[in-house]
């Protein structure tokens, strides 16, 4: 059986048709599907984790059937299921939404005074500069507190994501060391991605974490990189074709779904 092709949108034309095969450039964001599609219960994707890792070793997302939260660190994909515990997963699993890059920090700052979510994001915004570009973010250190959530695996007919998050398991980790990674997306990309910050956490012992909703850091290393090169791979599935990708109150729905 011939695999159905996918539609590619590359927002930097210079990256197309260069004939280069192999590892993509550093700090180039590769994304499968869109956040608006995930909101409308498009929970089945075509991209395997092995295929995803061809485009980056750092990132986040979810799994088919919305089976937990994903974090990718150092080329290893881990899954946080409903109990909030991390486990490595086979490359044959598929994802309906994920963002990865080959992260190469352009700036780093040692933070030695506590910061809440707001002051941390202000610092990252300052380091990244241009608000109309994407940014990759990694903080490694000690947290006073991290609030995380995961999602349950869903069965067809799939419920809308806002219904799913009403029942999502939440966790609070206190005095924990670990790594928080993710992306800052420009406001105009809302619906394609998550405007603002989308971060996931993995504890130092690689056992706990999930999608981050709130946090307060104590100290550690902050690393960032600006991203101006974006590739979005859109599925050609019937489910995606029938999705409402421009609903009313899209931004509010994403805010609720992301725990903002």
């Amino acid at each position: 059986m011939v695999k159905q092709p996918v539609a590619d949108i590359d927002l930097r034309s210079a990256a197309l048709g260069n004939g280069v095969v192999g590892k993509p450039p550093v700090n180039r964001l590769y994304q499968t599907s869109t956040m608006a599609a995930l909101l409308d219960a498009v929970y089945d994707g075509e991209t395997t984790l092995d295929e995803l890792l061809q485009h980056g070793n750092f990132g986040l997302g979810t799994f088919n059937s919305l089976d937990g939260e994903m974090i990718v660190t150092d080329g290893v994909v881990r899954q946080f299921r409903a109990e909030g515990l991390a486990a490595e997963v086979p490359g044959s699993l598929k994802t309906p939404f994920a963002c990865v890059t080959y992260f190469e920090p352009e700036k780093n700052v040692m933070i030695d005074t506590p910061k809440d979510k707001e002051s941390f994001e202000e610092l990252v915004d300052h380091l990244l500069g241009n608000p109309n570009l994407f940014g990759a973010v990694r903080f490694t250190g000690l947290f006073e507190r991290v609030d995380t959530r995961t999602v349950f695996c869903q069965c067809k007919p799939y419920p809308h994501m806002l219904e799913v998050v009403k029942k999502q398991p939440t966790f609070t980790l206190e005095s924990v060391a670990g790594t928080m990674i993710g992306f800052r997306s420009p406001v105009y990309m809302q619906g394609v991605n998550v405007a603002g910050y989308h971060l996931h956490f993995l504890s130092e012992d690689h056992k706990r974490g999930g999608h981050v909703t709130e946090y307060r850091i104590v100290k550690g290393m902050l690393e960032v990189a600006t991203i101006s090169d974006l590739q979005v791979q859109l599925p050609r599935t019937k489910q995606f074709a029938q999705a409402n990708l421009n609903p009313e109150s899209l931004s509010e729905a994403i805010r609720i779904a992301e725990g903002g």
Side-chain angles (χ1 to χ4, degrees), residues 124-125 128-137 182-186 196-198:
V124 175
D125 286 342
L128 290 174
N130 191 336
N132 290 323
L133 296 179
F134 285 78
V137 182
F183 301 98
R184 186 202 69 178
S185 300
Y197 287 85
H198 186 180

Side-chain angles (χ1 to χ4, degrees), residues 71 80 86 173 176-179 201-210:
I71 191 168
F80 304 105
L173 306 175
V176 60
T179 300
F201 174 78
L202 178 66
S203 62
E204 188 175 53
D205 60 10
H206 295 169
K207 292 182 178 180
R208 297 170 294 168

Side-chain angles (χ1 to χ4, degrees), residues 109-124 137-147 173 175-181 199 201 212 214-223:
V109 173
M110 181 61 71
I111 297 175
D112 55 10
T113 57
K115 290 186 179 296
D116 60 14
K117 180 179 179 180
E118 182 178 2
S119 59
F120 179 83
E121 290 180 359
E122 286 177 355
L123 175 58
V124 175
V137 182
R138 179 170 63 198
F139 175 79
T140 305
L142 180 62
F143 293 74
E144 179 182 310
R145 171 178 176 163
V146 185
D147 293 343
L173 306 175
S175 299
V176 60
T179 300
M180 182 170 66
I181 72 165
L199 303 169
F201 174 78
V212 176
E214 187 59 75
Y215 56 90
R216 182 175 175 84
I217 65 173
V218 178
K219 60 181 179 179
M221 175 64 72
L222 169 62
E223 301 166 290

Side-chain angles (χ1 to χ4, degrees), residues 33-176:
S33 193
T34 70
M35 186 61 197
L38 201 66
L39 273 177
D40 204 42
V42 181
Y43 300 154
D44 292 326
E46 303 168 311
T47 303
T48 68
L49 302 185
D50 282 340
E51 292 168 338
L52 185 69
L53 289 177
Q54 294 176 19
H55 299 276
N57 60 2
F58 167 108
L60 48 74
T62 186
F63 301 87
N64 274 14
S65 301
L66 210 64
D67 190 13
E69 302 283 352
M70 176 197 302
I71 191 168
V72 184
T73 55
D74 299 321
V76 177
V77 181
R78 291 182 174 86
Q79 178 183 35
F80 304 105
R81 303 190 75 182
E83 66 276 8
L85 300 179
E88 294 186 32
V89 288
S92 59
L93 288 186
K94 294 183 179 181
T95 174
F97 178 83
C99 304
V100 295
T101 189
Y102 283 103
F103 179 54
E104 184 171 290
E106 296 174 335
K107 296 180 180 179
N108 62 77
V109 173
M110 181 61 71
I111 297 175
D112 55 10
T113 57
K115 290 186 179 296
D116 60 14
K117 180 179 179 180
E118 182 178 2
S119 59
F120 179 83
E121 290 180 359
E122 286 177 355
L123 175 58
V124 175
D125 286 342
H126 174 74
L127 292 173
L128 290 174
N130 191 336
N132 290 323
L133 296 179
F134 285 78
V137 182
R138 179 170 63 198
F139 175 79
T140 305
L142 180 62
F143 293 74
E144 179 182 310
R145 171 178 176 163
V146 185
D147 293 343
T148 66
R149 72 106 199 268
T150 59
V151 285
F152 287 109
C153 183
Q154 301 300 306
C155 298
K156 295 180 178 179
Y158 291 139
H160 193 278
M161 192 172 182
L162 292 188
E163 293 301 314
V164 174
V165 298
K166 289 178 181 178
K167 304 173 184 177
Q168 65 186 4
T170 59
F171 307 90
T172 297
L173 306 175
E174 297 181 330
S175 299
V176 60

